[in-house]
Amino acid sequence: MSAARSLHPSPRTLEVESLESFDRLVSGGARSLHGWHLQSLDLRGRRAALEAADVQGAVFLGCTFDDGVEAMLRAGGALIFPRLEKVPFNPYRGTLYTPEELYAGIAETRYEDTPDARIYHWSIHSGQRRRLDATLAAALHDHAIGDALEEFTRSDAARGKTLVGVMGGHAATRGSAGFMEAALLGRLLARAGRLVATGGGPGAMEAANLGAYLSGAAEPDFRQALADLAAVPGFRPSVSAWARAAAAVVERHPDGTPSLGIPTWFYGHEPPNYFATHIAKYFANSIRETVLLELCNGGIVFLPGSGGTIQEIFQDACENYYGAPETITPMVLVGREHWLRRYPAWPLLQSIASGRQMERRIFLVDSVEEALAVLDS
């Protein structure tokens, strides 16, 4: 079983992530809560409903109760995971992140004071990775994110769309040719009805999410956004200025096209970009990489990059090499000079694919327009 699939609930599990869902279920006649996973709900005022229910086999994750209810639930056979008050995130969250949530307060304060930065610093605190409570909190969080990501793929934003990944280096600065090419790719993919997914970070990842976000904008508005962002080329020396420039674009265009970013606090020195409307941020980079590749059922476009992008190319190649014919997805490398000479990944990829089902699903092109054309072929 893959790491991504292992995060999904079993068919007998019912995720209850809002009070509205809880109230609807119990008012509809549900009496047995067996298999229910109730996440981060404030259940104060629901004593009568809980007393009337058979709670054997129910799991309460970080919920709040009226006095005495918790003991009653435990006596009835429920499993209760307590709220973790000293952790700067909700390990039982029921939804993906938004950029506004991770960057809360960025207009008035420094990036270092935002939730995203505080969570990263918590994760790297001396000895933190070896503490049982910290390890448990991070694992519970990543499980919850995996579940929320599964729900997102069934949401209105994603339903009926193929998901195409865009991988590329974080070094492409705003205003550069590489950044503009990645933004154009995201725009073309979203306009063609694809859902764009990236690693959620800066550089080519930010550009692809930006292009998708502004895919419904007129060409002059798209070009103006690129020009405005170029005034703050990168997240160094100031993540705060970099994020504020992006937030200003989103503020001018509040109804952008949804796209997905899957970053990680493992690489916390790379901040998440502001243009992925739905952010599945993990602590465990290995899970994040596996999930990202598995979700891209419409293929992956690899823009010029270095170590990380090369790793992703061959991780995806391994999935296709061993995959059944119906699971093999296109791999499109953009930039002949880059992938033939600077980092000659293409010849090795050709050798791996030779004689395999995947051989007809790998492509080397020179432009993002060509990349879109081969995805359509």
Side-chain angles (χ1 to χ4, degrees):
M1 181 177 288
S2 73
R5 289 195 181 96
S6 68
L7 297 176
H8 301 168
S10 70
R12 299 180 63 186
T13 297
L14 177 62
E15 305 286 347
V16 184
E17 298 164 345
S18 69
L19 280 177
E20 292 78 8
S21 296
F22 175 82
D23 291 340
R24 184 176 63 253
L25 289 164
V26 295
S27 65
R31 288 295 174 262
S32 173
L33 276 56
H34 182 82
W36 288 27
H37 289 181
L38 300 97
Q39 296 178 224
S40 294
L41 301 185
D42 185 348
L43 292 168
R44 289 173 294 185
R46 268 69 176 181
R47 176 190 292 270
L50 292 168
E51 287 178 338
D54 176 5
V55 298
Q56 175 71 39
V59 180
F60 294 85
L61 301 157
C63 295
T64 306
F65 310 100
D66 291 318
D67 290 344
V69 170
E70 185 173 333
M72 179 268 293
L73 294 173
R74 290 186 191 278
L79 181 62
I80 299 177
F81 285 78
R83 297 174 65 88
L84 301 176
E85 302 295 344
K86 295 183 179 180
V87 172
F89 56 89
N90 179 4
Y92 311 115
R93 63 179 299 117
T95 61
L96 299 179
Y97 290 100
T98 65
E100 292 80 7
E101 180 182 2
L102 290 174
Y103 282 104
I106 191 65
E108 302 84 22
T109 189
R110 308 172 306 154
Y111 168 71
E112 289 77 8
D113 297 319
T114 64
D116 184 68
R118 291 202 307 271
I119 295 169
Y120 172 59
H121 285 292
W122 171 89
S123 74
I124 63 171
H125 190 271
S126 179
Q128 194 78 286
R129 296 185 190 273
R130 296 189 297 275
R131 288 180 47 175
L132 179 60
D133 57 344
T135 301
L136 177 61
L140 288 168
H141 170 277
D142 284 3
H143 174 94
I145 288 295
D147 180 55
L149 188 53
E150 171 71 8
E151 289 195 14
F152 170 72
T153 64
R154 299 193 300 266
S155 70
D156 291 341
R159 190 179 296 116
K161 295 184 178 181
T162 56
L163 198 151
V164 175
V166 178
M167 312 293 184
H170 65 267
T173 56
R174 295 167 173 175
S176 68
F179 189 92
M180 290 188 281
E181 184 178 53
L184 177 59
L185 174 61
R187 182 171 168 86
L188 292 173
L189 286 169
R191 286 191 158 191
R194 268 83 165 201
L195 180 66
V196 172
T198 78
M205 296 172 281
E206 179 190 36
N209 286 127
L210 164 69
Y213 185 82
L214 293 180
S215 59
E219 187 68 20
D221 291 335
F222 176 59
R223 295 294 170 184
Q224 185 60 55
L226 287 170
D228 292 343
L229 290 171
V232 186
F235 63 91
R236 293 189 179 97
S238 172
V239 177
S240 303
W242 178 81
R244 286 176 193 139
V249 171
V250 169
E251 204 171 311
R252 288 195 299 275
H253 302 276
D255 299 314
T257 300
S259 70
L260 180 64
I262 309 184
T264 172
W265 279 293
F266 184 81
Y267 296 132
H269 59 285
E270 290 185 8
N273 77 69
Y274 213 95
F275 298 108
T277 57
H278 297 75
I279 301 175
K281 191 156 190 178
Y282 287 89
F283 287 101
N285 185 54
S286 57
I287 295 177
R288 168 250 193 173
E289 293 277 7
T290 301
V291 168
L292 180 54
L293 292 173
E294 182 173 300
L295 283 176
C296 296
N297 57 1
I300 298 178
V301 180
F302 297 94
L303 297 171
S306 53
T309 309
I310 293 167
Q311 175 191 335
E312 289 158 350
I313 289 173
F314 290 106
Q315 191 171 343
D316 192 28
C318 186
E319 297 284 338
N320 282 332
Y321 184 89
Y322 290 109
E326 62 272 15
T327 67
I328 296 171
T329 54
M331 300 179 64
V332 186
L333 277 61
V334 179
R336 292 179 187 274
E337 178 68 26
H338 189 87
W339 296 120
L340 282 172
R341 293 176 181 81
R342 184 172 184 186
Y343 296 112
W346 176 252
L348 181 53
L349 182 60
Q350 277 188 307
S351 297
I352 291 171
S354 180
R356 310 288 297 189
Q357 291 280 348
M358 66 182 286
E359 187 172 20
R360 291 179 295 176
R361 307 304 301 277
I362 64 170
F363 306 91
L364 178 65
V365 300
D366 261 331
S367 70
V368 296
E369 291 87 354
E370 290 177 89
L372 191 66
V374 298
L375 285 174
D376 286 332
S377 63

